[in-house]
Amino acid sequence: MRIGVLTGGGDCPGLNAVIRAAVRKGSKEFGHEFVGFRYGWRGPIEGITQPLDWDSVENILDQGGTILHSSRTNPYKIEGGVEAIKKNMAALGVDALIAIGGEDTLGVATKLTADGVNCVGVPKTIDNDLSGTDYTFGFDTAVNIATEAIDRLWTTADSHDRCIVVEIMGRHAGWMTLHAGIAGGANVTLIPEVAFDIEKVANFVKERKEAGKATIVAVSEGAHAQEGMVLKDGEVDAFGHVKLGGVGDWVAKEIKERAEIETRAIILGHLQRGGTPTAFDRVLATRLGLEAAAAVNEGDFGKMMALQGTNVVRIPINEGTDVLKTVPVERYADAEVFFGV
Ligand code: F6P
């Protein structure tokens, strides 16, 4: 069998570990050949490939990003996109695809499966917002980066009796902010799932200032005040997602004005996606890649590899993407316990 591999959507630490594991298991145990499609779905649409074999995946386990590069191309938004994928796969002798991606990339894999293309999916996202899997790889790395940032911001905030607002990625799910907020001991954690009261936040920061204490506010890029959402611009991608960002600056400005305290905002942004994956993410990504190779070998298409408890299992791809896995209110309550002076 000849298997195509692609990575779509935002990059994520651990992608290379999946590619390596799938290629090594698929070639060594089953004798399959592999080809890499570059730039997500753009690769099979335009026939952009790169060699993928035992040697070409050497020394990539610990590398962040993706050796296959990525894009947010949506074949269902491009005239003739699906037909082009089928045509290029046939011309290259590719029998099946391993698509590594988040809700958008895997959403396309579900549709392509229905349209007769053999696909298996591997879930990835630092946001940890895919259903059917307990964790996605990349999340642990991103949370560790954000936690280290909070640790570092603490000492400087404390030295100057300041408030520092840290804006953390995660689009519509507050997982990264919740976990980094708890792990870093943030005094206030604001997530998209629960609209916040800016007056309450400012009063809380003021009380801490009066008690001689600095404050760290962890805010998710998708969090919004009860008054509404703050957006930098209205730009949207091929999957209709609005570009987020700006809430950190807004929260810092409001705190400064309302609590009359010197406040700074830090936007962690793509720092959270770059660099080497943690050991947890390398192992999870490897296990998912191994299982994806086995699924393709068995012809078990339309399935997504998932972590459930400590087991890697296969579930229908749409079970991972139909409903976004957001933070339940009771989990947010874990963080609220620590909002105190
Ligand atoms: O979905 C992953 C993610 O990193 C989100 O946390 C963030 O909102 C988005 O991607 C940023 O996308 P881009 O790479 O297009 O800036």
Side-chain angles (χ1 to χ4, degrees), residues 75-190:
Y76 287 90
K77 285 278 158 62
I78 292 172
E79 183 79 27
V82 176
E83 290 66 36
I85 290 176
K86 290 183 178 174
K87 207 173 120 233
N88 284 323
M89 282 177 67
L92 292 159
V94 173
D95 310 285
L97 292 175
I98 297 178
I100 313 166
E103 53 161 334
D104 300 328
T105 307
L106 297 183
V108 169
T110 296
K111 287 191 193 162
L112 281 176
T113 305
D115 285 335
V117 179
N118 295 332
C119 294
V120 304
V122 176
K124 71 85 224 181
T125 169
I126 60 167
D127 299 355
N128 197 38
D129 60 357
L130 292 173
S131 297
T133 186
D134 293 349
Y135 288 103
T136 47
F137 67 83
F139 174 68
D140 184 64
T141 307
V143 168
N144 274 289
I145 293 168
T147 302
E148 195 197 332
I150 293 175
D151 289 347
R152 288 177 184 278
L153 292 168
W154 250 120
T155 56
T156 171
D158 192 39
S159 305
H160 291 267
D161 291 346
R162 280 175 178 158
C163 172
I164 298 190
V165 178
V166 196
E167 185 182 300
I168 296 173
M169 272 188 172
R171 209 170 251 169
H172 308 299
W175 291 110
M176 271 195 282
T177 309
L178 179 74
H179 280 228
I182 290 175
N187 306 107
V188 182
T189 300
L190 307 173

